[in-house]
């Protein structure tokens, strides 16, 4: 059963966090397909970015969203395969103390998290799950 969608901006246990400028490998997809992420299968469209993170985990990001939130790392040019890093932006995060199943209809996603993982809210209706070991290497808590 899926949990109700929380607003982490109002959740008393949520923290404000910022992604560290850790480069990720990016490939621009020529055709639509499905990526097997840590949360399960996620569809992507031709032209979307497929990212590979610090532990080899992969996830797709829609082209428009990617270009608005990531920047190329030299010598990669914008829109080319190569290394990119997330532009600094604060988001809300909640460490899970029990398993979580969350349907996010606006994004067409079903998220699955385990105790110790982090639920992130990037914007209203935009959520993701980050495994604890990946979160520890790629995010920092923003002091209150």
């Amino acid at each position: 059963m899926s949990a109700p969608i929380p607003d982490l901006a109002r959740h008393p246990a949520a923290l404000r966090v910022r992604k560290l400028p850790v480069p990720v490998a990016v490939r621009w997809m020529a055709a639509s397909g499905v990526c097997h992420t840590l949360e399960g299968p996620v569809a992507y469209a031709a032209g979307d970015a497929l990212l590979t993170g610090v532990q080899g985990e992969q996830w797709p990001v829609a082209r428009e969203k990617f270009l608005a939130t990531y920047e190329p790392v030299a010598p990669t040019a914008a829109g080319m395969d190569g290394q990119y890093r997330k532009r600094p932006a604060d988001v809300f995060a909640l460490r899970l103390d029990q398993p979580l199943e969350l349907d996010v209809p606006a994004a067409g996603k079903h998220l699955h998290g385990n105790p110790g993982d982090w639920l992130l809210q990037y914007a209203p209706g935009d959520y993701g799950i980050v495994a604890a070991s990946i979160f520890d290497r790629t995010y920092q808590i923003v002091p209150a």
Side-chain angles (χ1 to χ4, degrees), residues 118-130:
W118 290 82
L119 173 65
L120 274 67
Q121 182 176 353
Y122 305 106
D126 187 6
Y127 294 84
I129 299 284
V130 177

Side-chain angles (χ1 to χ4, degrees), residues 26-81:
V26 173
R27 287 184 308 152
W28 295 96
M29 304 314 293
S32 297
V34 175
C35 176
H36 296 282
T37 72
L38 295 175
E39 294 90 26
V42 176
Y44 57 84
D48 287 353
L50 183 64
L51 288 67
T52 302
V54 297
Q55 291 184 345
E57 72 282 6
Q58 293 189 312
W59 68 100
V61 177
R63 184 177 192 83
E64 279 185 33
K65 181 180 177 183
F66 180 86
L67 293 172
T69 57
Y70 283 82
E71 60 190 6
V73 175
T76 302
M80 304 300 292
D81 289 356

Side-chain angles (χ1 to χ4, degrees), residues 104-119:
V104 187
K109 289 185 190 177
H110 177 81
L111 301 177
H112 169 79
N114 295 309
D117 291 349
W118 290 82
L119 173 65

Side-chain angles (χ1 to χ4, degrees), residues 5-23:
I5 299 174
D7 180 0
L8 296 186
R10 292 185 164 86
H11 195 288
L15 302 171
R16 189 176 291 272
V17 300
R18 184 175 302 136
K19 182 123 184 197
L20 297 170
V22 177

